[in-house]
Amino acid sequence: MGNRGMEDLIPLVNRLQDAFSSIGQSCNLDLPQIAVVGGQSAGKSSVLENFVGRDFLPRGSGIVTRRPLVLHSLTHYFKWKKFTDFDEVRQEIEAETDRVTGANKGISPIPINLRVYSPHVLNLTLIDLPGITKVPVGDQPADIEHQIRDMIMQFICRESCLILAVTPANTDLANSDALKLAKDVDPQGQRTIGVITKLDLMDEGTDARDVLENKLLPLRRGYIGVVNRSQKDIDGKKDIRAALAAERKFFLSHPAYRHIADSMGTPHLQKVLNQQLTNHIRDTLPAFRSKLQSQLLSLDREAEEYRQYRPDDPSRKTKALLQMVQQFSVDFEKRIEGSGDQVDTVELSGGAKINRIFHERFPFELVKMECDEKEMRREISYAIKNIHGIRTGLFTPDMAFEAIVKKQVVKIKEPCIKCIDLVVQELINTVRQCSDKLDSFPCLREETERIVTSHIRDRESKAKEQVLLLIDVQLAYINTNHEDFIGFANAQQRSSQANKKSSAGNQVSVLVIRKGWLTINNISIMKGGAKEYWFVLTAESLSWFKDDEEKEKKYMLPLDNLKVKDVEKSFMSSKHMFAIFNTEQRNVFKDNRFLELACDTLEEVESWRASLLRAGVYPERAVVKIKAKVESESSGPSENFSMDPQLERKVETIRNLVDSYMAIVNKCIRDLMPKSIMHLMINNVKEFINAELLAQLYSAGDQNALMDESQEQVQRREEVLRTHHALKEALAITGDISTTTISTPLPPPVDNSWLSAGAGSRR
C-alpha cells in the first residue's frame, strides 16, 4: 500500500471532523479531503459505490446529488448512528436532502456526512458534489449552473483539498468541465487526479490509451481508468464485487490496456487516493496542530472562568457582583486619570477630553463672550455721561468703571455653565464606556448607569450653584487694590507701555505656539485647488511651509488686525473650516480677503482657534446695534457716539481699567473653574463609585435579578466551553502521531496548457 506507517492517519482526521462537528463548526481549519467533481452522469456516484462495495446513493434523471456528500470509508469502527441496510442509507440521504432543499430539485451547500465501516475498504474521505449542469430542470432556478459552480468552488479552492476530476471516456476530454474547474484553482496540477470512466462504452475501434498513459492531454498526477456498472447492471442488482471482477477482467483482456492493467481499476484508484490523501494530511498536519494550539491558548483563560462559574449559585453571584463593581470603579478612574490599559488612538475621551475642555474650550468661550471694542467704548461714554447727569464732570467717575466691570463679570456666567455641561456630558459618556464590560448582565448595567448618572446630575446642580456663587463673589466687591490692577494713575499710560513692550518683544526670540497640517481651501482650481501645508503659529505671525521640514516657506502672515470667523462646511468636502480676515478690509493672502483653512475634525478646528486666541487673534463678534432713544429733535444721529477730547480721555482711562480688572477676574475664574469642577464633581463621583455604588446596588432590589445573564452571554459561555473541549480533544488526537512515513514524491510538471486552449475553443 506504500504508506503503512500512516495507516491510522486518515481515521484520525475523521475523528477530528467528528469532534468539530459536535460544536457545529470546523474551528476555521481546512481538513484535508478529496472532492469528486464531474458533469451529470459522469459516473461519480458509481465510483463512490465501488469504493464502498454497496448500492446506497440515490438514482434518477437530472441533478440527483443536491447536497455535498462527505463519504468516509474506514477499516475501523467509531461511535456513530449505524445503518446495516443500504436501502435505508439511500432513503436517509434522500430524506435529509429534501429536508434542507425541498422537493423542487434545489441544491444546498450544507454537507451530509456518511461513514462506511468495513474491513474491505481503504481509509478515504471523499466529497461527492452535485454534477455540473447547463440547463435548469423542473422548478430549478435559472441560475442553477452558477449555483452549482459556486458550491464546487467553495470546496476545491481550498489548498488542502485534493480534486478528483471525473470525465467519461466517450466525451471530448479537452472540453471537460471538471478539468477546467480544477485548472482554475490548481493551475500547477499539484492537487488534481484525473479519472476516466465508461471506457467500455467507447465506440468500436477507439480507445483512451494515450490519455491513460498521460501522453495526450497530460496531467501532472496522470489519469486512472475505471469501469462502472451499466444501468442494466444496476437495475438487475448486479453485485459490486462481481462488477469489480469484471472490471479487472476488462483491463486484462483489452489489448490497449492490458499492459497498464495493474495501474487501472477501482482498487488501484482507492490505493492511489489513500496514499495521496495520507501524504497531504501529513504535510498539513504541523500547521494544523499549530492552529489548534493557537486557538486553544486564546480560549484557555475565558474557558477557565466559565468552568468555575455557576449561574444559580447565590454566593457566586455575590462574588461576581463585587468583582464587576470593583472593575467598573477601576476602569472609571483609569479613564479619568489617564492610566487606562486600553488607550483610544482614534479620539480624545475621559480625562483627556475634560482637560481639553478646561484649558482650550473654556478659555475660548471666555474670549468669545467679550463685547465689541466700539460697543464697549460707547457703553463707557454713556455711563460717564449718565453719572455726571446735567453737570459736566471734571474727573473720571469710578462708578462708571464699576458698572462696566460688573456687566462684564455677569457675562462670565454663560461660559462657566457651558463648561460644566460639557464636563457632565463627558462624565456620562465615560460611565457608558466603562459599563460596556457589564453587557453580560443587562440589569446590572442598566442599574449601574442609572445610579451613577443620577449622582452626576446631582453634583452638576451643586457645581453650578458653587460656580454662580464664585461669580456673585466677584460682583460683591470690586477690589481696586489688587496687586495686578494698574489703578487710575497708570491707566492713561497703558497704551504707550504696551507699545514699548511690543518693541522690546521684537528683539526676543519668537515663541512658537502651535505647528500642524492645515488645508488652504480658497486656492483657485486653475492653481491646483485646495492644498495641504505645514503651518507654524507664533506670537507675531502665521507662516506655512511646503512640508514639516520647514525649509521651503510659502508665505508669512503678520497677526496685526486679524480675526477669526466661522465658515459653513461645504457639501463638497468632508472637512471642517474656519477663516482668517483683516479687520481693516485688507487682503489677507494675495487677492483674497479671507484665508479659508480646513481640518479633518471639528475638534482640530476648535484647537486651532484656541491657539490663535493665545496669539491674540480673536473671533469675530456680531456687532450689537443699539438704537439710541431720541429724547428730542435736537439730539440727532451724530449725538449718539460723539465724544469731546476730555470725554475720550476718560473713556480710554476706564477702558484700560476694565481691561486690567477683567484680566484679573478671568485669570481667577480660569484657575478656579477646573478646581471647583474637580472637587465638586469629578473627585466626588470617583469617591461615590468607590464607596457607595455597591451599597446603592444592594438597596436597589434583588441582587440575584441584577446578576441574571443575558441570553447572548449564556450562548457565548456554552459555545466557548464546547469549542475549548473540542480543541483539547483534537490536540489529544494529534499528539501521538508517528511522523515516520514512506512518502511518494510529486510527479514532475507537465504541459497542461491544453486545458486553457480547450476551454477557449469551446467558447
Side-chain angles (χ1 to χ4, degrees), residues 243-253 260-265:
L244 291 176
E247 177 190 51
R248 177 66 176 166
K249 183 178 179 181
F250 171 82
F251 284 113
L252 288 173
S253 60
I260 54 173
D262 290 339
S263 59
M264 295 290 121

